[in-house]
Amino acid sequence: MSLLDEAARVRLRAHTPYSEFKVGAAIRSREGNLHLGCNVENIAYPEGTCAEAGAIAAMIAGGDTRIAEIAVIADSPDPVPPCGGCRQKLAEFADGDTPVLLANTAGKTLRTTVAELLPGAFSATHFKKD
Ligand code: THU
Protein backbone atom coordinates (compact mmCIF):
# COMPACT_ATOMS: atom_id res chain seq x y z
CA MET A 1 0.00 0.00 0.00
CA SER A 2 1.34 3.47 -0.86
CA LEU A 3 2.06 6.08 1.81
CA LEU A 4 -0.94 8.07 0.56
CA ASP A 5 -3.19 5.00 0.80
CA GLU A 6 -2.00 4.51 4.38
CA ALA A 7 -2.82 8.16 5.18
CA ALA A 8 -6.29 7.72 3.63
CA ARG A 9 -6.84 4.57 5.69
CA VAL A 10 -5.93 6.15 9.04
CA ARG A 11 -7.92 9.30 8.17
CA LEU A 12 -11.11 7.27 8.62
CA ARG A 13 -10.22 6.83 12.31
CA ALA A 14 -10.00 10.59 12.98
CA HIS A 15 -11.99 11.76 16.01
CA THR A 16 -13.62 14.98 14.80
CA PRO A 17 -16.98 15.57 16.51
CA TYR A 18 -16.49 19.37 16.37
CA SER A 19 -15.04 20.19 12.95
CA GLU A 20 -16.06 16.97 11.15
CA PHE A 21 -12.85 17.55 9.18
CA LYS A 22 -10.90 14.30 9.15
CA VAL A 23 -7.19 14.33 8.36
CA GLY A 24 -4.82 11.39 7.97
CA ALA A 25 -1.02 11.43 7.94
CA ALA A 26 1.45 8.67 7.14
CA ILE A 27 5.18 8.90 7.76
CA ARG A 28 7.88 6.66 6.37
CA SER A 29 10.73 7.10 8.78
CA ARG A 30 14.39 7.24 7.87
CA GLU A 31 14.63 3.91 9.68
CA GLY A 32 12.17 2.51 7.11
CA ASN A 33 9.05 2.11 9.23
CA LEU A 34 5.48 3.32 8.78
CA HIS A 35 3.88 5.61 11.39
CA LEU A 36 0.31 6.84 11.21
CA GLY A 37 -1.66 9.67 12.77
CA CYS A 38 -5.12 11.22 12.56
CA ASN A 39 -6.56 14.32 14.16
CA VAL A 40 -8.13 13.85 17.57
CA GLU A 41 -10.37 16.69 18.74
CA ASN A 42 -11.29 17.61 22.28
CA ILE A 43 -14.10 19.73 23.74
CA ALA A 44 -11.39 22.10 25.00
CA TYR A 45 -10.77 23.03 21.37
CA PRO A 46 -7.10 24.08 21.55
CA GLU A 47 -6.26 20.74 23.14
CA GLY A 48 -6.99 18.85 19.92
CA THR A 49 -4.11 17.35 17.98
CA CYS A 50 -3.45 17.37 14.25
CA ALA A 51 -2.86 14.27 12.14
CA GLU A 52 0.75 15.22 11.45
CA ALA A 53 1.43 15.69 15.18
CA GLY A 54 -0.09 12.27 15.86
CA ALA A 55 2.08 10.61 13.23
CA ILE A 56 5.21 12.29 14.60
CA ALA A 57 4.30 11.20 18.13
CA ALA A 58 3.81 7.62 16.87
CA MET A 59 7.20 7.77 15.13
CA ILE A 60 8.99 8.88 18.30
CA ALA A 61 7.07 6.42 20.49
CA GLY A 62 7.98 3.69 18.00
CA GLY A 63 11.66 4.39 18.51
CA ASP A 64 12.36 6.10 15.18
CA THR A 65 13.86 9.56 14.87
CA ARG A 66 13.46 11.26 11.48
CA ILE A 67 10.85 11.64 8.76
CA ALA A 68 11.98 10.42 5.32
CA GLU A 69 8.63 11.10 3.64
CA ILE A 70 5.11 12.12 4.70
CA ALA A 71 1.68 12.03 3.07
CA VAL A 72 -1.31 14.00 4.39
CA ILE A 73 -4.90 13.76 3.16
CA ALA A 74 -8.24 15.41 3.95
CA ASP A 75 -11.59 16.03 2.31
CA SER A 76 -10.66 19.58 1.31
CA PRO A 77 -11.20 21.39 -2.00
CA ASP A 78 -7.47 21.34 -2.64
CA PRO A 79 -4.65 19.20 -1.24
CA VAL A 80 -4.75 19.93 2.49
CA PRO A 81 -2.15 22.51 3.61
CA PRO A 82 -0.58 21.65 6.97
CA CYS A 83 -1.24 24.27 9.66
CA GLY A 84 1.57 26.53 10.86
CA GLY A 85 2.25 24.48 13.98
CA CYS A 86 2.56 21.29 11.96
CA ARG A 87 4.93 22.99 9.51
CA GLN A 88 7.18 23.80 12.48
CA LYS A 89 6.93 20.22 13.75
CA LEU A 90 7.78 18.81 10.31
CA ALA A 91 10.79 21.14 10.10
CA GLU A 92 12.05 19.79 13.42
CA PHE A 93 11.74 16.12 12.52
CA ALA A 94 12.68 16.22 8.82
CA ASP A 95 15.32 17.75 6.59
CA GLY A 96 14.30 20.65 4.35
CA ASP A 97 14.34 18.53 1.19
CA THR A 98 12.09 15.84 2.68
CA PRO A 99 9.19 15.09 0.29
CA VAL A 100 5.70 16.03 1.48
CA LEU A 101 2.71 14.70 -0.46
CA LEU A 102 -0.49 16.65 0.19
CA ALA A 103 -3.79 15.32 -1.11
CA ASN A 104 -7.53 15.58 -1.04
CA THR A 105 -9.96 12.70 -1.16
CA ALA A 106 -10.99 13.65 -4.71
CA GLY A 107 -7.56 12.65 -5.95
CA LYS A 108 -5.82 16.01 -6.26
CA THR A 109 -2.23 15.91 -5.05
CA LEU A 110 0.54 18.42 -4.46
CA ARG A 111 4.15 17.36 -4.06
CA THR A 112 6.21 19.77 -2.00
CA THR A 113 9.00 19.75 0.57
CA VAL A 114 9.40 20.68 4.20
CA ALA A 115 11.50 23.75 3.30
CA GLU A 116 8.91 24.94 0.78
CA LEU A 117 6.24 24.73 3.48
CA LEU A 118 8.36 26.61 6.02
CA PRO A 119 11.29 28.55 4.59
CA GLY A 120 13.79 29.79 7.17
CA ALA A 121 12.44 27.58 9.95
CA PHE A 122 13.56 28.33 13.48
CA SER A 123 15.57 25.42 14.86
CA ALA A 124 17.76 24.49 17.80
CA THR A 125 20.81 25.48 15.76
CA HIS A 126 19.78 29.11 16.40
CA PHE A 127 20.38 28.94 20.11
CA LYS A 128 22.89 26.12 20.51
CA LYS A 129 26.33 27.53 21.16
CA ASP A 130 28.35 24.41 20.29
N1 THU B 1 -5.89 19.55 11.02
C1 THU B 1 -4.95 18.57 10.91
O1 THU B 1 -5.08 17.49 11.48
N2 THU B 1 -3.85 18.85 10.17
C2 THU B 1 -3.65 20.01 9.50
O2 THU B 1 -2.55 20.24 8.99
C3 THU B 1 -4.74 20.98 9.37
C4 THU B 1 -5.79 20.87 10.43
C5 THU B 1 -7.09 19.26 11.82
C6 THU B 1 -7.15 20.00 13.16
C7 THU B 1 -8.63 19.99 13.43
O3 THU B 1 -8.97 18.76 14.09
C8 THU B 1 -9.26 20.01 12.06
O4 THU B 1 -8.25 19.64 11.14
C9 THU B 1 -9.84 21.35 11.67
O5 THU B 1 -8.92 22.37 11.84
Side-chain angles (χ1 to χ4, degrees):
M1 201 185 281
S2 72
L3 205 57
L4 184 54
D5 287 344
E6 296 285 3
R9 188 171 63 89
V10 70
R11 173 182 166 272
L12 302 177
R13 298 189 193 139
H15 179 74
T16 58
Y18 308 108
S19 75
E20 297 183 2
F21 186 71
K22 295 180 182 295
V23 186
I27 289 173
R28 184 173 53 80
S29 68
R30 185 184 280 173
E31 293 84 355
N33 299 308
L34 175 69
H35 302 283
L36 304 177
C38 56
N39 50 334
V40 179
E41 296 180 350
N42 188 281
I43 186 62
Y45 293 168
E47 303 299 325
T49 51
C50 286
E52 299 91 324
I56 290 169
M59 178 183 79
I60 296 301
D64 289 350
T65 56
R66 299 289 291 171
I67 301 168
E69 191 181 357
I70 181 168
V72 187
I73 187 168
D75 183 10
S76 47
D78 292 301
V80 61
C83 74
C86 286
R87 290 173 196 230
Q88 178 65 35
K89 290 179 180 69
L90 292 174
E92 294 193 32
F93 288 97
D95 296 342
D97 61 357
T98 299
V100 179
L101 177 59
L102 305 175
N104 69 7
T105 52
K108 272 196 199 173
T109 58
L110 175 68
R111 288 181 190 281
T112 183
T113 65
V114 167
E116 278 172 356
L117 288 172
L118 187 62
F122 178 68
S123 78
T125 60
H126 296 102
F127 64 80
K128 270 188 185 154
K129 293 192 180 91
D130 50 344

PDB file of all heavy atoms in Angstrom, residues 26-61:
ATOM      1  N   ALA A  26       0.610   9.872   7.105  1.00  0.00           N
ATOM      2  CA  ALA A  26       1.447   8.668   7.137  1.00  0.00           C
ATOM      3  C   ALA A  26       2.898   9.074   6.929  1.00  0.00           C
ATOM      4  O   ALA A  26       3.219   9.794   5.976  1.00  0.00           O
ATOM      5  CB  ALA A  26       1.016   7.686   6.047  1.00  0.00           C
ATOM      6  N   ILE A  27       3.740   8.621   7.825  1.00  0.00           N
ATOM      7  CA  ILE A  27       5.179   8.901   7.762  1.00  0.00           C
ATOM      8  C   ILE A  27       5.920   7.614   7.442  1.00  0.00           C
ATOM      9  O   ILE A  27       5.646   6.567   8.040  1.00  0.00           O
ATOM     10  CB  ILE A  27       5.689   9.447   9.125  1.00  0.00           C
ATOM     11  CG1 ILE A  27       5.170  10.870   9.362  1.00  0.00           C
ATOM     12  CG2 ILE A  27       7.218   9.382   9.216  1.00  0.00           C
ATOM     13  CD1 ILE A  27       5.485  11.400  10.758  1.00  0.00           C
ATOM     14  N   ARG A  28       6.854   7.705   6.500  1.00  0.00           N
ATOM     15  CA  ARG A  28       7.876   6.663   6.372  1.00  0.00           C
ATOM     16  C   ARG A  28       9.106   7.249   7.031  1.00  0.00           C
ATOM     17  O   ARG A  28       9.569   8.323   6.661  1.00  0.00           O
ATOM     18  CB  ARG A  28       8.139   6.320   4.899  1.00  0.00           C
ATOM     19  CG  ARG A  28       9.138   5.174   4.718  1.00  0.00           C
ATOM     20  CD  ARG A  28       9.245   4.750   3.261  1.00  0.00           C
ATOM     21  NE  ARG A  28       9.531   5.880   2.378  1.00  0.00           N
ATOM     22  CZ  ARG A  28      10.721   6.425   2.190  1.00  0.00           C
ATOM     23  NH1 ARG A  28      11.772   5.949   2.841  1.00  0.00           N
ATOM     24  NH2 ARG A  28      10.881   7.434   1.363  1.00  0.00           N
ATOM     25  N   SER A  29       9.586   6.566   8.050  1.00  0.00           N
ATOM     26  CA  SER A  29      10.734   7.104   8.785  1.00  0.00           C
ATOM     27  C   SER A  29      12.036   6.794   8.057  1.00  0.00           C
ATOM     28  O   SER A  29      12.086   5.909   7.187  1.00  0.00           O
ATOM     29  CB  SER A  29      10.780   6.512  10.199  1.00  0.00           C
ATOM     30  OG  SER A  29      11.075   5.132  10.119  1.00  0.00           O
ATOM     31  N   ARG A  30      13.063   7.518   8.431  1.00  0.00           N
ATOM     32  CA  ARG A  30      14.391   7.238   7.873  1.00  0.00           C
ATOM     33  C   ARG A  30      14.801   5.802   8.167  1.00  0.00           C
ATOM     34  O   ARG A  30      15.506   5.167   7.386  1.00  0.00           O
ATOM     35  CB  ARG A  30      15.401   8.217   8.488  1.00  0.00           C
ATOM     36  CG  ARG A  30      16.771   8.113   7.913  1.00  0.00           C
ATOM     37  CD  ARG A  30      17.726   9.044   8.624  1.00  0.00           C
ATOM     38  NE  ARG A  30      17.603  10.415   8.144  1.00  0.00           N
ATOM     39  CZ  ARG A  30      18.233  11.456   8.694  1.00  0.00           C
ATOM     40  NH1 ARG A  30      18.993  11.279   9.745  1.00  0.00           N
ATOM     41  NH2 ARG A  30      18.091  12.659   8.188  1.00  0.00           N
ATOM     42  N   GLU A  31      14.323   5.284   9.287  1.00  0.00           N
ATOM     43  CA  GLU A  31      14.634   3.908   9.680  1.00  0.00           C
ATOM     44  C   GLU A  31      13.822   2.897   8.870  1.00  0.00           C
ATOM     45  O   GLU A  31      14.007   1.685   9.003  1.00  0.00           O
ATOM     46  CB  GLU A  31      14.369   3.729  11.180  1.00  0.00           C
ATOM     47  CG  GLU A  31      15.316   4.533  12.085  1.00  0.00           C
ATOM     48  CD  GLU A  31      14.898   5.992  12.313  1.00  0.00           C
ATOM     49  OE1 GLU A  31      13.905   6.451  11.701  1.00  0.00           O
ATOM     50  OE2 GLU A  31      15.567   6.671  13.109  1.00  0.00           O
ATOM     51  N   GLY A  32      12.889   3.389   8.039  1.00  0.00           N
ATOM     52  CA  GLY A  32      12.175   2.511   7.112  1.00  0.00           C
ATOM     53  C   GLY A  32      10.831   1.999   7.605  1.00  0.00           C
ATOM     54  O   GLY A  32      10.254   1.099   6.988  1.00  0.00           O
ATOM     55  N   ASN A  33      10.324   2.588   8.680  1.00  0.00           N
ATOM     56  CA  ASN A  33       9.053   2.107   9.233  1.00  0.00           C
ATOM     57  C   ASN A  33       7.905   3.070   8.933  1.00  0.00           C
ATOM     58  O   ASN A  33       8.119   4.250   8.639  1.00  0.00           O
ATOM     59  CB  ASN A  33       9.195   1.912  10.744  1.00  0.00           C
ATOM     60  CG  ASN A  33      10.251   0.890  11.071  1.00  0.00           C
ATOM     61  OD1 ASN A  33      10.229  -0.222  10.552  1.00  0.00           O
ATOM     62  ND2 ASN A  33      11.219   1.269  11.895  1.00  0.00           N
ATOM     63  N   LEU A  34       6.693   2.551   9.035  1.00  0.00           N
ATOM     64  CA  LEU A  34       5.483   3.321   8.784  1.00  0.00           C
ATOM     65  C   LEU A  34       4.887   3.776  10.116  1.00  0.00           C
ATOM     66  O   LEU A  34       4.754   2.972  11.043  1.00  0.00           O
ATOM     67  CB  LEU A  34       4.474   2.422   8.056  1.00  0.00           C
ATOM     68  CG  LEU A  34       3.095   2.994   7.805  1.00  0.00           C
ATOM     69  CD1 LEU A  34       3.150   4.117   6.770  1.00  0.00           C
ATOM     70  CD2 LEU A  34       2.150   1.882   7.341  1.00  0.00           C
ATOM     71  N   HIS A  35       4.514   5.072  10.180  1.00  0.00           N
ATOM     72  CA  HIS A  35       3.881   5.611  11.390  1.00  0.00           C
ATOM     73  C   HIS A  35       2.681   6.441  10.967  1.00  0.00           C
ATOM     74  O   HIS A  35       2.791   7.271  10.060  1.00  0.00           O
ATOM     75  CB  HIS A  35       4.880   6.469  12.185  1.00  0.00           C
ATOM     76  CG  HIS A  35       6.112   5.708  12.572  1.00  0.00           C
ATOM     77  ND1 HIS A  35       6.129   4.796  13.608  1.00  0.00           N
ATOM     78  CD2 HIS A  35       7.354   5.699  12.027  1.00  0.00           C
ATOM     79  CE1 HIS A  35       7.336   4.270  13.694  1.00  0.00           C
ATOM     80  NE2 HIS A  35       8.100   4.800  12.751  1.00  0.00           N
ATOM     81  N   LEU A  36       1.563   6.218  11.636  1.00  0.00           N
ATOM     82  CA  LEU A  36       0.306   6.835  11.213  1.00  0.00           C
ATOM     83  C   LEU A  36      -0.245   7.766  12.280  1.00  0.00           C
ATOM     84  O   LEU A  36      -0.027   7.546  13.482  1.00  0.00           O
ATOM     85  CB  LEU A  36      -0.723   5.739  10.933  1.00  0.00           C
ATOM     86  CG  LEU A  36      -0.324   4.685   9.907  1.00  0.00           C
ATOM     87  CD1 LEU A  36      -1.408   3.630   9.801  1.00  0.00           C
ATOM     88  CD2 LEU A  36      -0.050   5.331   8.554  1.00  0.00           C
ATOM     89  N   GLY A  37      -0.983   8.781  11.826  1.00  0.00           N
ATOM     90  CA  GLY A  37      -1.663   9.670  12.769  1.00  0.00           C
ATOM     91  C   GLY A  37      -2.927  10.235  12.151  1.00  0.00           C
ATOM     92  O   GLY A  37      -3.036  10.375  10.930  1.00  0.00           O
ATOM     93  N   CYS A  38      -3.902  10.537  13.014  1.00  0.00           N
ATOM     94  CA  CYS A  38      -5.118  11.224  12.564  1.00  0.00           C
ATOM     95  C   CYS A  38      -5.419  12.312  13.585  1.00  0.00           C
ATOM     96  O   CYS A  38      -4.897  12.281  14.707  1.00  0.00           O
ATOM     97  CB  CYS A  38      -6.283  10.241  12.448  1.00  0.00           C
ATOM     98  SG  CYS A  38      -6.645   9.336  13.954  1.00  0.00           S
ATOM     99  N   ASN A  39      -6.243  13.281  13.186  1.00  0.00           N
ATOM    100  CA  ASN A  39      -6.561  14.325  14.159  1.00  0.00           C
ATOM    101  C   ASN A  39      -7.543  13.810  15.204  1.00  0.00           C
ATOM    102  O   ASN A  39      -8.440  13.017  14.914  1.00  0.00           O
ATOM    103  CB  ASN A  39      -7.040  15.615  13.490  1.00  0.00           C
ATOM    104  CG  ASN A  39      -8.143  15.424  12.474  1.00  0.00           C
ATOM    105  OD1 ASN A  39      -8.285  14.365  11.882  1.00  0.00           O
ATOM    106  ND2 ASN A  39      -8.926  16.465  12.278  1.00  0.00           N
ATOM    107  N   VAL A  40      -7.315  14.263  16.430  1.00  0.00           N
ATOM    108  CA  VAL A  40      -8.130  13.850  17.571  1.00  0.00           C
ATOM    109  C   VAL A  40      -8.573  15.119  18.281  1.00  0.00           C
ATOM    110  O   VAL A  40      -7.748  15.819  18.877  1.00  0.00           O
ATOM    111  CB  VAL A  40      -7.322  12.945  18.527  1.00  0.00           C
ATOM    112  CG1 VAL A  40      -8.172  12.537  19.733  1.00  0.00           C
ATOM    113  CG2 VAL A  40      -6.821  11.699  17.787  1.00  0.00           C
ATOM    114  N   GLU A  41      -9.866  15.434  18.174  1.00  0.00           N
ATOM    115  CA  GLU A  41     -10.366  16.686  18.739  1.00  0.00           C
ATOM    116  C   GLU A  41     -10.879  16.482  20.155  1.00  0.00           C
ATOM    117  O   GLU A  41     -11.210  15.363  20.567  1.00  0.00           O
ATOM    118  CB  GLU A  41     -11.458  17.256  17.829  1.00  0.00           C
ATOM    119  CG  GLU A  41     -10.900  17.614  16.467  1.00  0.00           C
ATOM    120  CD  GLU A  41     -11.923  18.175  15.507  1.00  0.00           C
ATOM    121  OE1 GLU A  41     -13.134  18.116  15.814  1.00  0.00           O
ATOM    122  OE2 GLU A  41     -11.496  18.666  14.448  1.00  0.00           O
ATOM    123  N   ASN A  42     -10.943  17.603  20.875  1.00  0.00           N
ATOM    124  CA  ASN A  42     -11.292  17.610  22.282  1.00  0.00           C
ATOM    125  C   ASN A  42     -12.244  18.774  22.514  1.00  0.00           C
ATOM    126  O   ASN A  42     -12.127  19.787  21.839  1.00  0.00           O
ATOM    127  CB  ASN A  42      -9.970  17.782  23.064  1.00  0.00           C
ATOM    128  CG  ASN A  42     -10.149  17.612  24.530  1.00  0.00           C
ATOM    129  OD1 ASN A  42     -10.603  18.529  25.205  1.00  0.00           O
ATOM    130  ND2 ASN A  42      -9.817  16.461  25.049  1.00  0.00           N
ATOM    131  N   ILE A  43     -13.139  18.662  23.483  1.00  0.00           N
ATOM    132  CA  ILE A  43     -14.105  19.729  23.745  1.00  0.00           C
ATOM    133  C   ILE A  43     -13.398  21.031  24.154  1.00  0.00           C
ATOM    134  O   ILE A  43     -13.900  22.120  23.884  1.00  0.00           O
ATOM    135  CB  ILE A  43     -15.169  19.308  24.788  1.00  0.00           C
ATOM    136  CG1 ILE A  43     -16.246  20.379  24.918  1.00  0.00           C
ATOM    137  CG2 ILE A  43     -14.544  18.984  26.127  1.00  0.00           C
ATOM    138  CD1 ILE A  43     -17.031  20.645  23.679  1.00  0.00           C
ATOM    139  N   ALA A  44     -12.230  20.912  24.783  1.00  0.00           N
ATOM    140  CA  ALA A  44     -11.388  22.096  25.002  1.00  0.00           C
ATOM    141  C   ALA A  44     -10.626  22.293  23.688  1.00  0.00           C
ATOM    142  O   ALA A  44      -9.563  21.719  23.487  1.00  0.00           O
ATOM    143  CB  ALA A  44     -10.450  21.875  26.165  1.00  0.00           C
ATOM    144  N   TYR A  45     -11.205  23.029  22.760  1.00  0.00           N
ATOM    145  CA  TYR A  45     -10.772  23.026  21.371  1.00  0.00           C
ATOM    146  C   TYR A  45      -9.255  23.109  21.141  1.00  0.00           C
ATOM    147  O   TYR A  45      -8.716  22.371  20.317  1.00  0.00           O
ATOM    148  CB  TYR A  45     -11.455  24.149  20.578  1.00  0.00           C
ATOM    149  CG  TYR A  45     -12.950  23.972  20.402  1.00  0.00           C
ATOM    150  CD1 TYR A  45     -13.722  25.022  19.931  1.00  0.00           C
ATOM    151  CD2 TYR A  45     -13.600  22.775  20.717  1.00  0.00           C
ATOM    152  CE1 TYR A  45     -15.098  24.886  19.783  1.00  0.00           C
ATOM    153  CE2 TYR A  45     -14.963  22.633  20.573  1.00  0.00           C
ATOM    154  CZ  TYR A  45     -15.712  23.691  20.106  1.00  0.00           C
ATOM    155  OH  TYR A  45     -17.063  23.547  19.960  1.00  0.00           O
ATOM    156  N   PRO A  46      -8.550  24.000  21.849  1.00  0.00           N
ATOM    157  CA  PRO A  46      -7.099  24.083  21.549  1.00  0.00           C
ATOM    158  C   PRO A  46      -6.321  22.843  21.944  1.00  0.00           C
ATOM    159  O   PRO A  46      -5.158  22.707  21.575  1.00  0.00           O
ATOM    160  CB  PRO A  46      -6.624  25.288  22.373  1.00  0.00           C
ATOM    161  CG  PRO A  46      -7.863  25.998  22.806  1.00  0.00           C
ATOM    162  CD  PRO A  46      -8.950  24.977  22.846  1.00  0.00           C
ATOM    163  N   GLU A  47      -6.962  21.945  22.704  1.00  0.00           N
ATOM    164  CA  GLU A  47      -6.259  20.735  23.142  1.00  0.00           C
ATOM    165  C   GLU A  47      -6.231  19.654  22.061  1.00  0.00           C
ATOM    166  O   GLU A  47      -5.575  18.631  22.224  1.00  0.00           O
ATOM    167  CB  GLU A  47      -6.920  20.158  24.403  1.00  0.00           C
ATOM    168  CG  GLU A  47      -6.993  21.110  25.583  1.00  0.00           C
ATOM    169  CD  GLU A  47      -5.632  21.552  26.052  1.00  0.00           C
ATOM    170  OE1 GLU A  47      -4.695  20.739  25.996  1.00  0.00           O
ATOM    171  OE2 GLU A  47      -5.508  22.720  26.465  1.00  0.00           O
ATOM    172  N   GLY A  48      -6.968  19.846  20.980  1.00  0.00           N
ATOM    173  CA  GLY A  48      -6.994  18.847  19.922  1.00  0.00           C
ATOM    174  C   GLY A  48      -5.627  18.710  19.269  1.00  0.00           C
ATOM    175  O   GLY A  48      -4.800  19.622  19.328  1.00  0.00           O
ATOM    176  N   THR A  49      -5.400  17.555  18.647  1.00  0.00           N
ATOM    177  CA  THR A  49      -4.111  17.347  17.983  1.00  0.00           C
ATOM    178  C   THR A  49      -4.318  17.049  16.502  1.00  0.00           C
ATOM    179  O   THR A  49      -5.285  16.389  16.113  1.00  0.00           O
ATOM    180  CB  THR A  49      -3.322  16.190  18.629  1.00  0.00           C
ATOM    181  OG1 THR A  49      -4.165  15.047  18.719  1.00  0.00           O
ATOM    182  CG2 THR A  49      -2.834  16.583  20.006  1.00  0.00           C
ATOM    183  N   CYS A  50      -3.395  17.542  15.700  1.00  0.00           N
ATOM    184  CA  CYS A  50      -3.454  17.367  14.252  1.00  0.00           C
ATOM    185  C   CYS A  50      -2.943  15.975  13.858  1.00  0.00           C
ATOM    186  O   CYS A  50      -2.197  15.332  14.610  1.00  0.00           O
ATOM    187  CB  CYS A  50      -2.585  18.415  13.560  1.00  0.00           C
ATOM    188  SG  CYS A  50      -3.286  20.075  13.571  1.00  0.00           S
ATOM    189  N   ALA A  51      -3.290  15.570  12.652  1.00  0.00           N
ATOM    190  CA  ALA A  51      -2.863  14.269  12.139  1.00  0.00           C
ATOM    191  C   ALA A  51      -1.336  14.173  12.058  1.00  0.00           C
ATOM    192  O   ALA A  51      -0.747  13.141  12.421  1.00  0.00           O
ATOM    193  CB  ALA A  51      -3.474  14.045  10.759  1.00  0.00           C
ATOM    194  N   GLU A  52      -0.706  15.239  11.598  1.00  0.00           N
ATOM    195  CA  GLU A  52       0.754  15.220  11.451  1.00  0.00           C
ATOM    196  C   GLU A  52       1.416  15.062  12.818  1.00  0.00           C
ATOM    197  O   GLU A  52       2.393  14.322  12.970  1.00  0.00           O
ATOM    198  CB  GLU A  52       1.252  16.524  10.800  1.00  0.00           C
ATOM    199  CG  GLU A  52       0.707  16.765   9.403  1.00  0.00           C
ATOM    200  CD  GLU A  52      -0.589  17.566   9.373  1.00  0.00           C
ATOM    201  OE1 GLU A  52      -1.419  17.382  10.289  1.00  0.00           O
ATOM    202  OE2 GLU A  52      -0.775  18.353   8.444  1.00  0.00           O
ATOM    203  N   ALA A  53       0.865  15.786  13.821  1.00  0.00           N
ATOM    204  CA  ALA A  53       1.426  15.692  15.179  1.00  0.00           C
ATOM    205  C   ALA A  53       1.278  14.275  15.711  1.00  0.00           C
ATOM    206  O   ALA A  53       2.185  13.744  16.367  1.00  0.00           O
ATOM    207  CB  ALA A  53       0.729  16.697  16.093  1.00  0.00           C
ATOM    208  N   GLY A  54       0.135  13.640  15.415  1.00  0.00           N
ATOM    209  CA  GLY A  54      -0.089  12.267  15.857  1.00  0.00           C
ATOM    210  C   GLY A  54       0.895  11.308  15.217  1.00  0.00           C
ATOM    211  O   GLY A  54       1.415  10.401  15.881  1.00  0.00           O
ATOM    212  N   ALA A  55       1.154  11.505  13.930  1.00  0.00           N
ATOM    213  CA  ALA A  55       2.083  10.608  13.231  1.00  0.00           C
ATOM    214  C   ALA A  55       3.514  10.802  13.755  1.00  0.00           C
ATOM    215  O   ALA A  55       4.262   9.825  13.896  1.00  0.00           O
ATOM    216  CB  ALA A  55       2.015  10.863  11.725  1.00  0.00           C
ATOM    217  N   ILE A  56       3.874  12.038  14.042  1.00  0.00           N
ATOM    218  CA  ILE A  56       5.211  12.293  14.601  1.00  0.00           C
ATOM    219  C   ILE A  56       5.326  11.659  15.987  1.00  0.00           C
ATOM    220  O   ILE A  56       6.339  11.020  16.313  1.00  0.00           O
ATOM    221  CB  ILE A  56       5.511  13.809  14.646  1.00  0.00           C
ATOM    222  CG1 ILE A  56       5.697  14.354  13.232  1.00  0.00           C
ATOM    223  CG2 ILE A  56       6.754  14.089  15.505  1.00  0.00           C
ATOM    224  CD1 ILE A  56       5.734  15.875  13.134  1.00  0.00           C
ATOM    225  N   ALA A  57       4.280  11.813  16.791  1.00  0.00           N
ATOM    226  CA  ALA A  57       4.299  11.197  18.131  1.00  0.00           C
ATOM    227  C   ALA A  57       4.434   9.681  18.020  1.00  0.00           C
ATOM    228  O   ALA A  57       5.189   9.057  18.780  1.00  0.00           O
ATOM    229  CB  ALA A  57       3.028  11.575  18.892  1.00  0.00           C
ATOM    230  N   ALA A  58       3.727   9.078  17.060  1.00  0.00           N
ATOM    231  CA  ALA A  58       3.814   7.618  16.872  1.00  0.00           C
ATOM    232  C   ALA A  58       5.230   7.220  16.444  1.00  0.00           C
ATOM    233  O   ALA A  58       5.749   6.190  16.880  1.00  0.00           O
ATOM    234  CB  ALA A  58       2.793   7.172  15.834  1.00  0.00           C
ATOM    235  N   MET A  59       5.840   8.059  15.587  1.00  0.00           N
ATOM    236  CA  MET A  59       7.204   7.768  15.127  1.00  0.00           C
ATOM    237  C   MET A  59       8.182   7.766  16.313  1.00  0.00           C
ATOM    238  O   MET A  59       9.004   6.841  16.456  1.00  0.00           O
ATOM    239  CB  MET A  59       7.643   8.812  14.088  1.00  0.00           C
ATOM    240  CG  MET A  59       9.059   8.607  13.592  1.00  0.00           C
ATOM    241  SD  MET A  59       9.600   9.888  12.439  1.00  0.00           S
ATOM    242  CE  MET A  59      10.003  11.229  13.556  1.00  0.00           C
ATOM    243  N   ILE A  60       8.070   8.780  17.147  1.00  0.00           N
ATOM    244  CA  ILE A  60       8.989   8.875  18.295  1.00  0.00           C
ATOM    245  C   ILE A  60       8.699   7.741  19.288  1.00  0.00           C
ATOM    246  O   ILE A  60       9.620   7.084  19.788  1.00  0.00           O
ATOM    247  CB  ILE A  60       8.862  10.255  18.968  1.00  0.00           C
ATOM    248  CG1 ILE A  60       9.305  11.363  17.982  1.00  0.00           C
ATOM    249  CG2 ILE A  60       9.692  10.315  20.251  1.00  0.00           C
ATOM    250  CD1 ILE A  60      10.726  11.247  17.461  1.00  0.00           C
ATOM    251  N   ALA A  61       7.425   7.497  19.556  1.00  0.00           N
ATOM    252  CA  ALA A  61       7.072   6.417  20.489  1.00  0.00           C
ATOM    253  C   ALA A  61       7.506   5.058  19.951  1.00  0.00           C
ATOM    254  O   ALA A  61       7.835   4.146  20.719  1.00  0.00           O
ATOM    255  CB  ALA A  61       5.562   6.420  20.739  1.00  0.00           C
TER     256      ALA A  61
END
